Amino acid sequence: MSETNSAAETAAPHRYTAAMAADIEARWQDFWDAEGTYEAPNPTGDLAGDPELAAKPKKFIMDMFPYPSGAGLHVGHPLGYIATDVYARHQRMTGHNVLHTLGFDAFGLPAEQYAVQTGTHPRVSTEANMENMKVQLRRLGLGHDNRRSFATIDAEYYKWTQWIFLQIFNSWYDTEADKARPIAELVEQFESGTRATPDSRGWSALSATERADLLSQYRLAYASDAPVNWSPGLGTVLANEEVTADGRSERGNFPVFKAKLRQWNMRITAYADRLLNDLDGLDWPEAIKLQQRNWIGRSEGARVEFPVDTAGGITVFTTRQDTLFGATYMVLAPEHDMVERIIPAAWPEGTHPVWTGGHASPAEAVTAYRKQAAAKSDVERQAEAKDKTGVFTGAYATNPVSGEKVPVFIADYVLMGYGTGAIMAVPAHDARDFAFARAFELPMRCVVQPSDDRGTDPASWDDAFSSYDAKLVNSANDEISLDGLGVVEAKAKITEWLQEHGVGEGTVNFRLRDWLFSRQRYWGEPFPIVYDEDGIAHPLPESMLPLELPEVEDYSPRTFDPEDASAQPETPLSRNADWVNVTLDLGDGAGPRKYRRETNTMPNWAGSCWYELRYLDPNNDRQLVDPSIEQYWMGPREGQPTGGVDLYVGGAEHAVLHLLYARFWSKVLHDLGHISSAEPFHKLYNQGMIQAFVYRDSRGIAVPAAEVEERDGAFYYAGEKVSRVLGKMGKSLKNAVTPDEICAEYGADTLRLYEMAMGPLDVSRPWDTRAVVGQYRLLQRLWRNVVDEETGEVTVVDTEPGEDTLRALHKAIDGVGQDMAGMRFNTAIAKVTELNNHLTKAGGPLSRSVAERLVLLIAPLAPHIAEELWRRLGHTDSVVHQDFPVADPAYVVDETVTCVVQIKGKVRARLEISPSITDEELEALALADEAVVAALGGAGIRKVIVRAPKLVNIVPA
């Protein structure tokens, strides 16, 4: 603290300073904890409380789960937490029972990687990080109901994560009912014969393994051998969403390859239509809805069967079935199961040398190409590379509409994860097919009339021609002709023909793939699944939950050379033989048997898929959530047809991953009758980011921002000139400012005000420590308006304020209230500042009624100083549950407005009149005004145009 400040504090011992703020804030935080100030009562159960409060309208306000990082918080992290706290406080003051709390999403890769690096068990480091973050968050004065807080690593929490997994495992999607149903109901259908088995054998004729395999085709959670994203450098597989656009792992930036492994999946694709349609009823930013729609990727088209002489047929999905006559070859993804079935022993006679890749046989060519393709990520495979690669399988299929034999290739630009993993190639009208056809000297046929002057011979074209606004040509056989039809009409006609001939059908396809749910890591929820000696998966009974994560000495997954695509995963849990191999009685009548536990763990998304439900009923050990409690807080209601959290605030980076998965889990639980809400989050708000300047030296290395000096518009560190760019804030960028620093220098209320005043909440903004002092001074002026800095006595008086002050007060009340409700906290602060400045300039002691309402106005934003002033003003109850001030409409409108009176377009008079004046009253006043009478000079009046209260236009006769 400077000598000047010390002297000022000696002269004014009761001035609001950082030291006083620290004392006030610590005292009131202790008070809130002791009194349970923020405890929101449930309507029933162990957290039931004040029935009068529970009877009020409810508000459930949530922040996205924080991850307990070892680096702690910087000032960018609390932005959303402070915003929801301000909003929640305002909602309490406007008559709501507000549920607002915060837990920790504590499983996952970051803690495990940190544990591997330091040799500290992930539980030890994670719990230490949580304690540190709790201290930091508490210091901000956040009004959380701490009774409801938990971490996903708590066994009593992940017991229910495992329970939900078993609900999903024991369910199937009934397309007729359009909902999930218990798998037992499907078994009953097979047993009774109302649903036939695929080979028409009776259920009793199937072996246990055959039954398990059949049910696995229906279960919403199932294990399968499928292509996965394998990251040797991380030693784990990843969901598509965890792979960057560069084909690398989001965490760690390691190369990602395709590998075929047996993994757990969630059949989220069964819900594709509902996930898409229910977006319409959600109050979400349109940009987030669009990202979800694009990820789900619904497209209407047709499935078409291309017969192969010896192997049945190859099914393709296409959205341009109108161009079938232009399909001159086919391409399968290298991983496609049909490849092995169609490869002949030798190249067919006359095979083009370009098609063989220089290999002696189709088998050799395919094997070599598959190895090459496996080393590429999906993103690399889909990139618009100049050179297309592939190889002929040696097989031909038949185009079902033209009857022509078309060669079947494999190429890495076709992926198993999209459509059927096979395409019909129409090179004249698709850019990638065109490039491939040119590279392999394949035929092309124009079937869509070009709109330019290129003609209809693709051999002379430089690129493909594609259009939805064109006519079909060269598209006819003996039974059907599409020639001359537009695309829409041609699609409908060819689809009908395909269906009539049993070679295709109209269908809907989705970009969305089933959710890969296995991770080869230690620090995650164990699967409540065991395998018998035949490899059949069995769910653990509920009585055996939670299946706790065992303590192990070696918790690091086996990692490999990041470039070693041939490596195979090895899970940490698989090394714990005593835990893996067990004898259990599952209560299914089989008695004690030997089993092998699942050694993968769930992904870090699992715990955050349902945490909003646990906040409601956190101590319930009998059921997921009490139905009456869930109905109270999250049930459907007017304006919220699918229910959900009233406000959910977090970063836009979770637009697909977390939000889509949580929506899926909610819908399954809703279908099975466990919850009333079909959507988890009704209103979503994405806060912006607090940015900071990053300074880099000549080597491009970040230098400590706090030690950079500015001279003549340039920036220097240790005497060397450095560059400056605006970017993220973070420890690695050496520009992080911690909330602890700002709280120590100015107090938490100042930090809260500054973060809310920086700009609109949904816009990113740069941090400027020098600007924090502006909000500090606001609080000091506020304090001075109520408390004498020398004596510490309250200076308010019990007299009525003047007219000007009443108008300033009620305008502020009206504006701040609207801004709070609309989460426009920056403009709310501006209005409070304007009012406080008015009161300061007015001089003299404040009226008690004005002072109290001023304190109530700022209470949601700066709760500590508000509590202190409220108590000093003589109140014994907390400011938190006081009513927010209500504006008197009579004082909100301006007392008078200026009306301009024009004659022939020239201003002849200005009248000070009431803003509520009528047109008739205003006309009479204007015509009676002396200046107007003089300007008219006795002339008659042809017309009077009145626009009350601002304008009167007189047109003389």
Side-chain angles (χ1 to χ4, degrees):
M1 187 175 295
S2 69
E3 291 183 10
T4 303
N5 286 344
S6 299
E9 288 177 23
T10 301
H14 297 280
R15 174 169 295 174
Y16 182 82
T17 61
M20 179 181 284
D23 174 64
I24 290 172
E25 289 163 4
R27 278 193 289 107
W28 284 109
Q29 287 161 16
D30 289 343
F31 173 86
W32 294 330
D33 285 349
E35 296 295 317
T37 302
Y38 303 109
E39 292 179 359
N42 281 343
T44 185
D46 66 312
L47 297 187
D50 181 358
E52 189 176 326
L53 180 53
K56 291 183 176 183
K58 64 87 189 179
K59 282 288 180 181
F60 185 5
I61 298 165
M62 266 182 64
D63 302 275
M64 288 189 183
F65 244 174
Y67 191 86
S69 163
L73 299 176
H74 60 62
V75 291
H77 292 124
L79 177 66
Y81 306 150
I82 295 171
T84 53
D85 186 61
V86 173
Y87 183 76
R89 289 175 181 276
H90 178 253
Q91 291 297 306
R92 286 191 194 93
M93 297 177 75
T94 52
H96 294 85
N97 182 21
V98 177
L99 193 167
H100 189 212
T101 190
L102 195 69
F104 293 93
D105 190 13
F107 272 131
L109 190 57
E112 187 170 274
Q113 288 183 316
Y114 180 78
V116 171
Q117 293 166 8
T118 62
T120 306
H121 193 283
R123 178 173 295 279
V124 173
S125 59
T126 302
E127 290 181 346
N129 295 342
M130 284 193 289
E131 289 307 310
N132 180 49
M133 285 182 67
K134 285 177 183 177
V135 170
Q136 289 185 297
L137 291 168
R138 185 179 187 272
R139 193 170 184 182
L140 297 173
L142 303 178
H144 293 152
D145 184 346
N146 292 321
R147 302 172 304 164
R148 300 174 183 265
S149 184
F150 56 81
T152 54
I153 60 175
D154 299 339
E156 56 269 29
Y157 178 79
Y158 69 73
K159 164 188 175 178
W160 295 104
T161 308
Q162 294 170 337
W163 182 87
I164 295 172
F165 173 84
L166 293 180
Q167 299 303 301
I168 299 172
F169 174 77
N170 285 320
S171 302
W172 64 292
Y173 201 85
D174 184 344
T175 54
E176 292 183 6
D178 199 22
K179 60 181 289 189
R181 294 172 59 187
I183 200 76
E185 296 180 15
L186 179 65
V187 173
E188 288 174 9
Q189 292 181 16
F190 283 128
E191 286 178 336
S192 65
T194 55
R195 182 183 292 267
T197 60
D199 60 5
S200 298
R201 285 188 294 156
W203 179 255
S204 60
L206 301 181
S207 68
T209 300
E210 289 173 326
R211 291 178 185 179
D213 289 344
L214 176 56
L215 292 180
S216 185
Q217 296 173 31
Y218 291 86
R219 292 186 188 275
L220 290 178
Y222 65 95
S224 69
D225 293 312
V228 296
N229 302 304
W230 164 235
S231 175
L234 285 177
T236 188
V237 300
L238 303 169
N240 289 339
E241 299 90 340
E242 295 172 304
V243 181
T244 68
D246 298 322
R248 303 177 77 85
S249 62
E250 188 176 52
R251 175 72 59 179
N253 196 37
F254 291 108
V256 176
F257 306 97
K258 279 297 179 186
K260 203 162 189 177
L261 299 170
R262 190 161 187 82
Q263 302 290 305
W264 282 97
N265 297 272
M266 293 272 179
R267 207 178 300 275
I268 191 173
T269 49
Y271 282 83
D273 268 322
R274 285 171 60 185
L275 289 167
L276 198 61
N277 296 336
D278 285 355
L279 284 170
D280 294 337
L282 300 180
D283 185 4
W284 286 17
E286 281 304 317
I288 302 297
K289 287 185 177 183
L290 180 61
Q291 288 185 64
Q292 291 239 332
R293 290 188 180 107
N294 289 341
W295 191 264
I296 296 167
R298 187 182 193 276
S299 54
E300 295 186 9
R303 288 186 180 270
V304 185
E305 188 90 359
F306 281 70
V308 180
D309 291 341
T310 59
I314 298 172
T315 302
V316 303
F317 171 81
T318 176
T319 58
R320 290 300 303 269
Q321 61 267 39
D322 55 303
T323 64
L324 256 169
F325 283 93
T328 57
Y329 67 96
M330 297 188 75
V331 183
L332 303 181
E335 306 89 353
H336 201 292
D337 291 339
M338 284 290 292
V339 175
E340 285 88 352
R341 291 158 57 185
I342 64 175
I343 296 175
W347 295 116
E349 187 175 347
T351 295
H352 196 311
V354 176
W355 298 1
T356 68
H359 295 280
S361 69
E364 291 178 20
V366 166
T367 299
Y369 188 77
R370 278 180 155 175
K371 185 175 181 180
Q372 174 185 329
K376 294 184 181 180
S377 69
D378 285 0
V379 176
E380 290 172 317
R381 287 170 58 168
Q382 288 188 297
E384 295 295 333
K386 186 175 181 181
D387 299 322
K388 293 295 178 187
T389 64
V391 70
F392 180 38
T393 63
Y396 285 84
T398 302
N399 184 320
V401 295
S402 68
E404 296 176 349
K405 294 288 187 181
V406 295
V408 181
F409 284 75
I410 61 170
D412 59 16
Y413 76 92
V414 176
L415 305 176
M416 276 306 298
Y418 296 92
T420 64
I423 67 164
M424 61 174 212
V426 185
H429 307 294
D430 179 273
R432 293 187 307 167
D433 295 347
F434 185 93
F436 191 90
R438 278 286 163 88
F440 288 88
E441 301 178 22
L442 289 157
M444 303 188 204
R445 180 179 295 109
C446 173
V447 292
V448 179
Q449 180 68 49
S451 57
D452 50 27
D453 58 0
R454 67 174 69 196
T456 57
D457 180 10
S460 63
W461 296 359
D462 294 326
D463 54 19
F465 172 79
S466 179
S467 174
Y468 276 86
D469 186 21
K471 301 294 184 183
L472 275 292
V473 295
N474 301 325
S475 298
N477 60 27
D478 293 341
E479 299 178 12
I480 185 174
S481 174
L482 306 181
D483 292 344
L485 299 180
V487 170
V488 174
E489 190 179 355
K491 279 186 175 184
K493 188 171 183 179
I494 193 63
T495 300
E496 183 179 353
W497 186 89
L498 291 168
Q499 291 177 174
E500 288 175 354
H501 288 72
V503 291
E505 61 178 350
T507 189
V508 174
N509 196 55
F510 294 91
R511 180 179 181 268
L512 181 68
R513 298 294 96 193
D514 281 345
W515 174 15
L516 177 67
F517 201 70
S518 293
R519 296 295 182 273
Q520 291 67 47
R521 299 201 289 257
Y522 167 70
W523 195 234
E525 299 91 340
F527 282 91
I529 293 289
V530 291
Y531 299 92
D532 63 24
E533 293 172 344
D534 295 322
I536 297 173
H538 296 265
L540 292 181
E542 186 177 332
S543 61
M544 291 187 180
L545 301 182
L547 172 59
E548 295 196 32
L549 188 65
E551 295 291 328
V552 297
E553 291 183 7
D554 183 6
Y555 38 77
S556 59
R558 185 181 177 193
T559 57
F560 303 87
D561 179 339
E563 304 291 343
D564 184 4
S566 64
Q568 292 291 307
E570 179 188 294
T571 63
L573 290 180
S574 66
R575 299 192 286 266
N576 189 344
D578 291 341
W579 183 83
V580 173
N581 302 302
V582 290
T583 298
L584 301 172
D585 185 347
L586 300 182
D588 53 5
R593 296 178 61 187
K594 291 182 178 180
Y595 295 98
R596 176 178 52 83
R597 295 195 192 278
E598 171 63 70
T599 59
N600 287 312
T601 53
M602 298 186 197
N604 60 301
W605 309 107
S608 59
C609 275
W610 72 282
Y611 70 120
E612 71 283 355
L613 298 172
R614 192 61 176 175
Y615 284 152
L616 308 182
D617 198 10
N619 304 319
N620 197 331
D621 60 357
R622 302 176 311 282
Q623 58 190 143
L624 180 73
V625 60
D626 183 298
S628 63
I629 294 174
E630 187 273 337
Q631 174 69 48
Y632 173 83
W633 289 110
M634 290 184 63
R637 62 203 64 217
E638 186 178 351
Q640 299 182 17
T642 50
V645 173
D646 296 292
L647 176 66
Y648 192 37
V649 175
E653 65 271 16
H654 296 295
V656 172
L657 294 173
H658 157 61
L659 292 174
L660 196 64
Y661 297 157
R663 295 182 64 214
F664 165 53
W665 277 33
S666 284
K667 292 187 183 304
V668 177
L669 292 171
H670 172 75
D671 286 356
L672 297 176
H674 299 300
I675 58 175
S676 65
S677 49
E679 286 283 342
F681 315 115
H682 173 70
K683 180 177 176 64
L684 175 69
Y685 190 99
N686 298 129
Q687 85 272 17
M689 181 187 299
I690 289 184
Q691 300 170 303
F693 286 111
V694 182
Y695 299 88
R696 297 186 184 276
D697 61 20
S698 58
R699 302 166 297 169
I701 296 174
V703 300
E707 300 174 28
V708 172
E709 298 178 355
E710 183 178 359
R711 299 199 298 268
D712 301 324
F715 303 94
Y716 296 86
Y717 170 71
E720 180 190 350
K721 192 173 183 181
V722 294
S723 64
R724 185 182 80 163
V725 295
L726 191 61
K728 288 184 177 182
M729 182 180 286
K731 190 174 181 180
S732 64
L733 297 173
K734 299 183 181 179
N735 63 355
V737 178
T738 70
D740 308 55
E741 297 172 52
I742 304 301
C743 289
E745 190 167 357
Y746 300 105
D749 280 340
T750 296
L751 172 64
R752 291 169 60 101
L753 279 172
Y754 177 65
E755 295 216 1
M756 293 299 96
M758 291 172 75
L761 183 60
D762 59 349
V763 175
S764 294
R765 72 294 300 271
W767 176 268
D768 183 359
T769 299
R770 293 169 299 179
V772 177
V773 71
Q775 301 307 317
Y776 181 54
R777 287 170 181 158
L778 165 62
L779 294 180
Q780 288 184 314
R781 287 192 295 270
L782 171 68
W783 182 265
R784 275 198 300 271
N785 277 330
V786 179
V787 177
D788 186 294
E789 291 185 336
E790 293 185 6
T791 67
E793 297 296 320
V794 170
T795 58
V796 300
V797 293
D798 293 321
T799 58
E800 288 301 309
E803 184 84 3
D804 287 349
T805 294
L806 281 174
R807 291 196 175 280
L809 173 66
H810 285 280
K811 281 188 176 182
I813 291 171
D814 181 61
V816 172
Q818 292 186 48
D819 287 344
M820 290 279 192
M823 300 182 71
R824 297 182 297 273
F825 305 128
N826 59 318
T827 53
I829 292 170
K831 292 178 175 69
V832 171
T833 303
E834 184 180 356
L835 172 62
N836 197 56
N837 288 343
H838 168 87
L839 298 174
T840 301
K841 290 175 183 176
L846 289 189
S847 162
R848 175 175 292 278
S849 65
V850 173
E852 289 183 344
R853 282 177 281 189
L854 174 62
V855 169
L856 293 172
L857 279 183
I858 205 166
L861 293 154
H864 306 91
I865 193 173
E867 283 279 28
E868 183 71 14
L869 291 174
W870 189 249
R871 181 60 59 92
R872 290 186 180 225
L873 285 165
H875 299 280
T876 58
D877 49 355
S878 170
V879 77
V880 170
H881 291 286
Q882 300 304 309
D883 290 337
F884 197 78
V886 177
D888 184 339
Y891 290 110
V892 171
V893 296
D894 289 324
E895 185 177 11
T896 61
V897 294
T898 300
C899 174
V900 173
V901 183
Q902 295 180 335
I903 301 175
K904 289 185 178 181
K906 291 186 177 181
V907 176
R908 296 299 184 181
R910 286 185 171 84
L911 309 177
E912 294 300 317
I913 48 94
S914 167
S916 60
I917 195 169
T918 66
D919 285 357
E920 293 77 11
E921 292 170 334
L922 182 56
E923 181 178 340
L925 277 175
L927 294 177
D929 184 82
E930 292 181 4
V932 172
V933 171
L936 286 171
I941 297 172
R942 181 162 62 89
K943 190 176 185 180
V944 179
I945 302 168
V946 181
R947 298 286 184 267
K950 295 292 184 71
L951 175 67
V952 177
N953 193 10
I954 301 171
V955 182

